[in-house]
Amino acid sequence: MKTEYERQSAELCRIRQELESARARYLDLYDLAPVGYVTISESGFIQEANLTFATMLEAAGESLLDKPLSSFILSEDLDTWNQHRKQMMETGTPDVCELRIRKQKNAPFWVRLDSVVIKTAGKTTAFRTVVSDISQRKSAENELKRSYERLELMQEVSQYHAGNVQDLLYFALDKVVALTESTIGYIYHYDESERLFVLNTWSKEVMAACRVAEPQQVYHLDNTGLWGEVVRQRRAIMVNDYPASSAMKKGYPEGHVPLSRFLSIPVYDNDRIVAVVGVANKTLPYDQSDVLQLTLMMEGLWKIAARLKLEERISRAGHEWQSTFDAISDSIALIDSDQRILRCNRATGILLEHGFSDIVGQPCWKLFHGTDAPIADCPMNKAKRSLHSESSTVMHNDRWLEVSVDPIVSDNGLLTGAVHIVRDVTERKRLENALLQEKALYKDLVDTQPAGMYRLRVSNTTNSDVADWRATIDSNYSVDMVSDRFGEILGIDAQLFKENPGIVPDMVYPDDQADFIENNIRALAELTAFKWEGRLVRGQDVTWVRFESVPRKLANGEVLWTGVVTDITDYKLAENSLREMQAQLMQQDKLATIGQLAAGVAHEINNPMGFVGSNMITLGKYIEKYNCYIEELEREMRACSGGVLPEQAQILRRSLKLDYVINDIKVLIDESNEGIDRVKRIVQDLKIFSRADSTAIGMADLNGCMDSTINIVFNEIKYAAELKREYGEIPNVSCNIQQVNQVFMNLLINATHAIQSKGEKSGEIVVRTWCDNSNAFVSVSDTGCGIAAENFNRIFDAFFTTKEVGKGTGLGLSISAEIVRKHGGEIMVASELGAGSTFTVRLPLNPPQAGNQPQ
């Protein structure tokens, strides 16, 4: 059993353990408390501090001991700390104060000191202080204060009676400078499209301190330095050490106000920067709070400025609207849902012959129609049902009036009123009636014209190729007008063309379609007149037409295409006949001229050729006498010299080449006589080929005619081809010899040209003749280029040619075919592209019937 001493000792040990445990818990709570605890001596030195307080100051706890608390307090707040200590020393009661404490590395922060005194023997010996971090609360309070100040400034600015926007901004700039605790500021308008800053105003301090002689008012963005970065970077620019060097700065003019700190922000209107606001030279550094305050202030200010601009525009618009309203000659009135007039223009009073006071408040039917209720055809009653514009035309005092109503509908779909417009249309009615009569007269005039008339509207004038041109017509062409005569010429219903303008190019003769489309596309693309002649297919018939149209571009980009179409079939037939006749007459005239020339030349040539031929015969006889004489002399000389010529004579004979000369003289004389005979034959053939009487009919030897023609054109043939004659025995044919020779000449020349076109050095031309019981045949074959399939059916068309410009008229084969046809025959063609062609002339052995003689 324990003694009392042992029991008390155990109890004492237990109490000590509990005290130690409680002390440990106290120390943990003391160091880990969310607030700082510090004990400060009467003289202001730190005696004890918990971990939280040391953490606030970013210092170790031991390093704080025996240091004056004032060394951590911001100098601007030392008076607050000293007043706090004095209050507790004098009263001995707890006290509270708020001040800023500096950290070792970071910016100062706000704290609250809750202090109580510690007394020993009734005397204050220390202070125990709870230190709470209230920086967030202070920040919120400051922000609230600045927001309140900003709101007060905004209220002051909004209540400021400015004459214009610039005065408002000038007044507001001083408030902005004060809000940010700056000393100077500026506002520049900015034009994003031109990249230009235009000065609105500098603050008063700048204007007073600036010594720049002629301050610049307008700056281009490219010429600005640091302050232009606000636009280039599209964000606020804040510089708290302006004198420091920077690549973005370009300096400022001499005499400019010095800058120490600088803040500039962009002002937006939607996504566009419309202004730049800058402040400078704040005592403390600018921070994001300044950016926020300045941005919010300017956003609100710009809305006020925009409202002021709008009010100015509304005011001007009100005066302009009323002036415009009264300048309108139509009666315009604003009426309510009960059709009572709320407002009207000057024309309404003139129309109704009443003053404004007598009109307002009255129902419109009473004033305009003199009735006690709306009229039967009242457009307002219609508008109440449809909620759309309605109108009607009525008679009033022998005048036609057009009454229209445009309803005013609320957001929930209810009619609240309307705009009531009355227009005197008496003159228009008269003109409409006159126009109807003119239209009827115009239609009669258009439909009775010999040419068909039409007008197209083209919505898309971009050029397109032939392949998609039909699609272009279907999608972009519409017919405004078409006459009945147009349909008659084309052989279609005019209404069908109006519904489907693409029917016309479909009717164009296949060989003419490409030309028609290309001319149409070019005229539309270049806005030049469209003129085209060609053939249209009307069932089994082919009609020649002429299109003539002139395009005119409208303001909306469309093209109005007005034109006529004329049937020129008879004209074309007459023209072709005339051309053929002219060509034949020209050819006959040429041949007649050649005949006359040949006759004259033959006469002139035959005389000298006669005595030249005679002289050549005589010369031959003389040469023979010289030869006999020389032979006799040489015989005598040999007899005197032992049977040989003397050496001197032999040398002379060899040097004169006498043996060659004697033999060659005979050859030369024979060739000359042959040339004389050839000249005589050519002259004779030329006279036969181009007899002056082109209508003379005679019996012709076709082989002889061909030979005569070959003689005429052989000089052209011989350089291009080898000519072969394969003549058969054929009887004489009754024909116009000159015309038949002309046919043969055309065929031979064409064969020569075909060989030359192929590019070969030499080809072959074969002329054959034969006959049967009824006809004589003459064929000309060549090894030339042949005829393309697409040209085969056109080779006998007048003026069709595949030769280069200037090398063919396109009349040779056409005239030849016509000559042979008039002789009762035909020309047949066989051709292979690249291999050659054969033209065969068939002439009947019996002459054509009387009346069909070839002319």
Side-chain angles (χ1 to χ4, degrees):
M1 188 172 179
K2 291 182 180 181
T3 63
E4 181 64 21
Y5 173 76
E6 288 175 338
R7 187 184 61 77
Q8 289 182 358
S9 294
E11 181 65 20
L12 181 60
C13 182
R14 183 186 64 78
I15 292 173
R16 285 176 178 169
Q17 289 176 352
E18 288 181 358
L19 286 175
E20 288 295 330
S21 176
R23 179 178 175 81
R25 288 196 301 271
Y26 167 75
L27 290 175
D28 287 341
L29 290 175
Y30 179 74
D31 282 333
L32 298 178
V35 294
Y37 290 109
V38 61
T39 302
I40 304 167
S41 68
E42 177 187 5
S43 56
F45 288 87
I46 298 174
Q47 296 178 336
E48 186 180 66
N50 70 345
L51 181 61
T52 301
F53 183 73
T55 302
M56 287 181 180
L57 297 181
E58 298 177 346
E62 295 79 3
S63 65
L64 300 177
L65 300 180
D66 298 326
K67 289 186 177 179
L69 182 63
S70 60
S71 63
F72 299 100
I73 297 175
L74 203 65
S75 58
E76 290 88 341
D77 295 342
L78 285 176
D79 289 343
T80 303
W81 164 243
N82 292 328
Q83 184 66 30
H84 177 64
R85 287 176 55 212
K86 181 180 179 182
Q87 173 68 20
M88 288 188 297
M89 288 289 293
E90 292 179 353
T91 63
T93 59
D95 192 42
V96 177
C97 74
E98 294 177 356
L99 47 76
R100 287 167 291 182
I101 294 180
R102 290 196 306 266
K103 298 182 180 180
Q104 287 189 358
K105 299 178 182 179
N106 296 321
F109 64 99
W110 281 93
V111 296
R112 171 189 169 108
L113 304 182
D114 289 273
S115 303
V116 296
V117 296
I118 300 176
K119 292 185 177 182
T120 303
K123 182 181 178 182
T124 300
T125 58
F127 309 106
R128 181 156 293 163
T129 302
V130 177
V131 183
S132 304
D133 187 340
I134 60 170
S135 55
Q136 289 187 354
R137 193 200 78 195
K138 275 293 185 179
S139 177
E141 288 178 354
N142 289 336
E143 185 63 29
L144 181 62
K145 177 183 177 183
R146 297 180 72 176
S147 297
Y148 181 75
E149 291 174 350
R150 176 169 51 82
L151 290 175
E152 285 186 328
L153 289 176
M154 288 297 297
Q155 181 180 11
E156 188 176 358
V157 170
S158 64
Q159 294 176 351
Y160 178 71
H161 297 291
N164 51 55
V165 173
Q166 184 166 350
D167 289 345
L168 175 68
L169 295 178
Y170 186 83
F171 172 77
L173 181 59
D174 288 335
K175 305 301 179 183
V176 169
V177 170
L179 177 66
T180 57
E181 300 177 4
S182 303
T183 58
I184 60 175
Y186 63 81
I187 298 176
Y188 273 90
H189 294 283
Y190 183 66
D191 186 336
E192 280 202 338
S193 60
E194 298 294 332
R195 294 162 57 88
L196 288 179
F197 294 92
V198 179
L199 178 65
N200 181 82
T201 184
W202 279 94
S203 59
K204 294 177 182 178
E205 289 76 4
V206 174
M207 301 306 293
C210 182
R211 295 294 180 266
V212 179
E214 295 182 359
Q216 190 170 341
Q217 303 291 315
V218 180
Y219 290 86
H220 192 277
L221 177 61
D222 294 342
N223 298 328
T224 61
L226 179 62
W227 67 281
E229 290 297 314
V230 70
V231 170
R232 286 188 282 268
Q233 299 186 31
R234 303 184 73 82
R235 66 178 182 86
I237 298 297
M238 181 169 58
V239 177
N240 282 314
D241 186 8
Y242 195 87
S245 60
S246 171
M248 295 186 294
K249 292 196 303 183
K250 293 187 178 181
Y252 38 71
E254 183 178 353
H256 194 280
V257 177
L259 301 179
S260 58
R261 293 186 175 89
F262 168 77
L263 171 63
S264 181
I265 64 160
V267 180
Y268 284 91
D269 183 359
N270 293 325
D271 294 332
R272 293 184 308 111
I273 296 178
V274 294
V276 171
V277 179
V279 291
N281 295 354
K282 180 182 178 182
T283 303
L284 296 177
Y286 289 107
D287 54 26
Q288 290 301 319
S289 175
D290 294 308
V291 174
L292 177 62
Q293 290 296 324
L294 188 56
T295 300
L296 293 175
M297 176 69 180
M298 290 312 302
E299 285 179 354
L301 179 62
W302 216 257
K303 291 177 181 178
I304 295 174
R307 187 191 67 197
L308 181 58
K309 286 183 180 179
L310 180 60
E311 289 175 353
E312 292 174 355
R313 287 198 296 268
I314 290 173
S315 177
R316 287 195 302 270
H319 293 295
E320 292 170 358
W321 182 86
Q322 187 61 49
S323 300
T324 304
F325 197 47
D326 286 337
I328 298 173
S329 58
D330 296 337
S331 166
I332 302 178
L334 182 65
I335 61 177
D336 61 16
S337 58
D338 294 328
Q339 297 179 242
R340 297 185 180 277
I341 297 177
L342 304 176
R343 190 169 185 174
C344 65
N345 67 342
R346 182 170 174 270
T348 304
I350 295 174
L351 176 66
L352 299 177
E353 299 180 350
H354 285 294
F356 181 79
S357 59
D358 296 330
I359 294 174
V360 173
Q362 296 294 323
C364 60
W365 64 76
K366 180 178 180 181
L367 294 170
F368 285 99
H369 310 298
T371 60
D372 295 330
I375 61 176
D377 197 30
C378 177
M380 182 61 174
N381 286 343
K382 296 178 184 178
K384 287 180 179 179
R385 295 189 294 269
S386 69
L387 297 181
H388 291 95
S389 297
E390 300 287 351
S391 62
S392 64
T393 305
V394 298
M395 284 290 292
H396 177 73
N397 294 337
D398 297 327
R399 306 288 292 174
W400 281 101
L401 301 179
E402 182 184 76
V403 182
S404 61
V405 170
D406 292 301
I408 300 172
V409 182
S410 64
D411 293 339
N412 56 5
L414 297 178
L415 186 142
T416 59
V419 178
H420 185 278
I421 303 174
V422 179
R423 177 173 298 154
D424 189 334
V425 294
T426 305
E427 183 63 18
R428 191 187 76 186
K429 279 286 186 180
R430 184 188 66 78
L431 292 175
E432 285 176 353
N433 292 332
L435 181 60
L436 289 175
Q437 295 177 3
E438 288 293 330
K439 283 185 176 180
L441 180 61
Y442 169 75
K443 189 175 187 311
D444 290 341
L445 181 63
V446 168
D447 289 338
T448 55
Q449 290 295 312
M453 304 181 70
Y454 64 93
R455 184 167 63 239
L456 297 173
R457 188 177 296 271
V458 187
S459 60
N460 183 4
T461 60
T462 55
N463 201 356
S464 58
D465 56 28
V466 174
D468 63 1
W469 192 71
R470 176 53 198 268
T472 301
I473 294 179
D474 293 340
S475 60
N476 299 313
Y477 280 55
S478 61
V479 180
D480 275 5
M481 180 276 292
V482 60
S483 68
D484 293 341
R485 178 59 181 157
F486 181 92
E488 292 173 5
I489 293 175
L490 271 65
I492 60 174
D493 187 350
Q495 185 62 30
L496 179 61
F497 169 69
K498 197 164 187 177
E499 296 170 355
N500 179 19
I503 194 174
V504 172
D506 291 343
M507 294 177 64
V508 176
Y509 193 76
D511 291 345
D512 297 346
Q513 273 193 351
D515 182 60
F516 175 84
I517 294 173
E518 287 172 3
N519 276 277
N520 195 296
I521 290 174
R522 182 169 56 254
L524 186 60
E526 299 174 0
L527 290 181
T528 55
F530 171 63
K531 294 182 179 180
W532 180 82
E533 290 183 2
R535 294 164 291 180
L536 298 181
V537 179
R538 296 179 45 176
Q540 300 298 320
D541 300 328
V542 175
T543 303
W544 278 91
V545 296
R546 178 190 295 119
F547 278 93
E548 296 178 273
S549 58
V550 178
R552 178 167 59 89
K553 194 160 190 177
L554 305 179
N556 61 359
E558 292 183 337
V559 171
L560 205 60
W561 207 333
T562 304
V564 297
V565 60
T566 309
D567 187 336
I568 59 171
T569 305
D570 293 340
Y571 166 76
K572 275 293 181 180
L573 293 175
E575 183 185 57
N576 288 338
S577 298
L578 179 60
R579 286 185 178 180
E580 290 178 5
M581 185 182 299
Q582 287 176 338
Q584 292 184 29
L585 290 174
M586 182 174 63
Q587 190 73 7
Q588 291 172 4
D589 185 59
K590 287 180 180 179
L591 294 175
T593 302
I594 293 173
Q596 293 174 1
L597 178 63
V601 170
H603 176 74
E604 295 298 327
I605 290 177
N606 283 337
N607 288 335
M609 291 305 294
F611 66 74
V612 169
S614 177
N615 290 345
M616 291 301 296
I617 294 172
T618 302
L619 179 62
K621 294 177 180 179
Y622 289 168
I623 294 298
E624 288 178 0
K625 291 179 180 182
Y626 270 107
N627 289 340
C628 290
Y629 178 71
I630 291 171
E631 289 176 358
E632 186 62 27
L633 286 176
E634 288 184 347
R635 191 163 43 247
E636 290 294 329
M637 292 174 70
R638 288 189 184 95
C640 295
S641 302
V644 294
L645 284 173
E647 183 178 356
Q648 194 68 24
Q650 291 181 24
I651 293 172
L652 180 61
R653 184 182 180 94
R654 284 195 300 272
S655 66
L656 294 175
K657 298 180 180 180
L658 198 59
D659 292 338
Y660 172 78
V661 170
I662 290 171
N663 291 329
D664 196 45
I665 285 175
K666 185 177 183 306
V667 174
L668 291 176
I669 290 174
D670 290 342
E671 287 180 352
S672 297
N673 287 329
E674 184 181 346
I676 292 169
D677 291 339
R678 179 169 173 76
V679 170
K680 289 180 179 179
R681 286 198 305 274
I682 290 174
V683 171
Q684 184 62 29
D685 289 339
L686 189 59
K687 290 173 67 178
I688 293 172
F689 181 81
S690 54
R691 293 172 58 185
D693 186 3
S694 64
T695 63
I697 303 298
M699 300 302 292
D701 176 8
L702 296 183
N703 290 341
C705 290
M706 180 59 76
D707 283 338
S708 298
T709 305
I710 289 172
N711 283 337
I712 297 298
V713 300
F714 187 73
N715 192 58
E716 185 169 355
I717 294 174
K718 68 181 180 180
Y719 295 110
E722 178 186 354
L723 180 68
K724 293 183 179 180
R725 295 178 175 88
E726 297 179 1
Y727 293 164
E729 293 185 4
I730 56 176
N732 291 347
V733 176
S734 176
C735 63
N736 184 316
I737 297 175
Q738 180 188 9
Q739 291 183 353
V740 169
N741 285 343
Q742 181 180 351
V743 172
F744 292 165
M745 183 176 69
N746 285 335
L747 296 180
L748 288 169
I749 291 175
N750 282 353
T752 303
H753 289 172
I755 291 171
Q756 291 172 336
S757 298
K758 192 175 180 181
E760 295 182 352
K761 292 184 178 179
S762 179
E764 183 180 81
I765 297 176
V766 180
V767 179
R768 298 182 179 89
T769 61
W770 71 95
C771 70
D772 59 18
N773 294 331
S774 303
N775 301 284
F777 299 90
V778 179
S779 70
V780 178
S781 301
D782 64 70
T783 58
C785 59
I787 302 171
E790 61 268 19
N791 298 328
F792 206 79
N793 294 327
R794 304 183 62 189
I795 57 176
F796 293 110
D797 290 350
F799 306 104
F800 174 78
T801 179
T802 59
K803 298 177 183 177
E804 297 178 11
V805 176
K807 293 189 176 182
T809 63
L811 291 173
L813 286 177
S814 175
I815 292 174
S816 298
E818 184 65 17
I819 290 173
V820 174
R821 184 187 64 78
K822 290 181 177 179
H823 279 79
E826 64 176 331
I827 299 180
M828 297 165 285
V829 187
S831 181
E832 181 180 349
L833 190 64
S837 305
T838 297
F839 285 80
T840 303
V841 176
R842 179 186 63 81
L843 291 174
L845 296 176
N846 298 319
Q849 297 295 321
N852 290 328
Q853 295 293 319
Q855 301 295 319

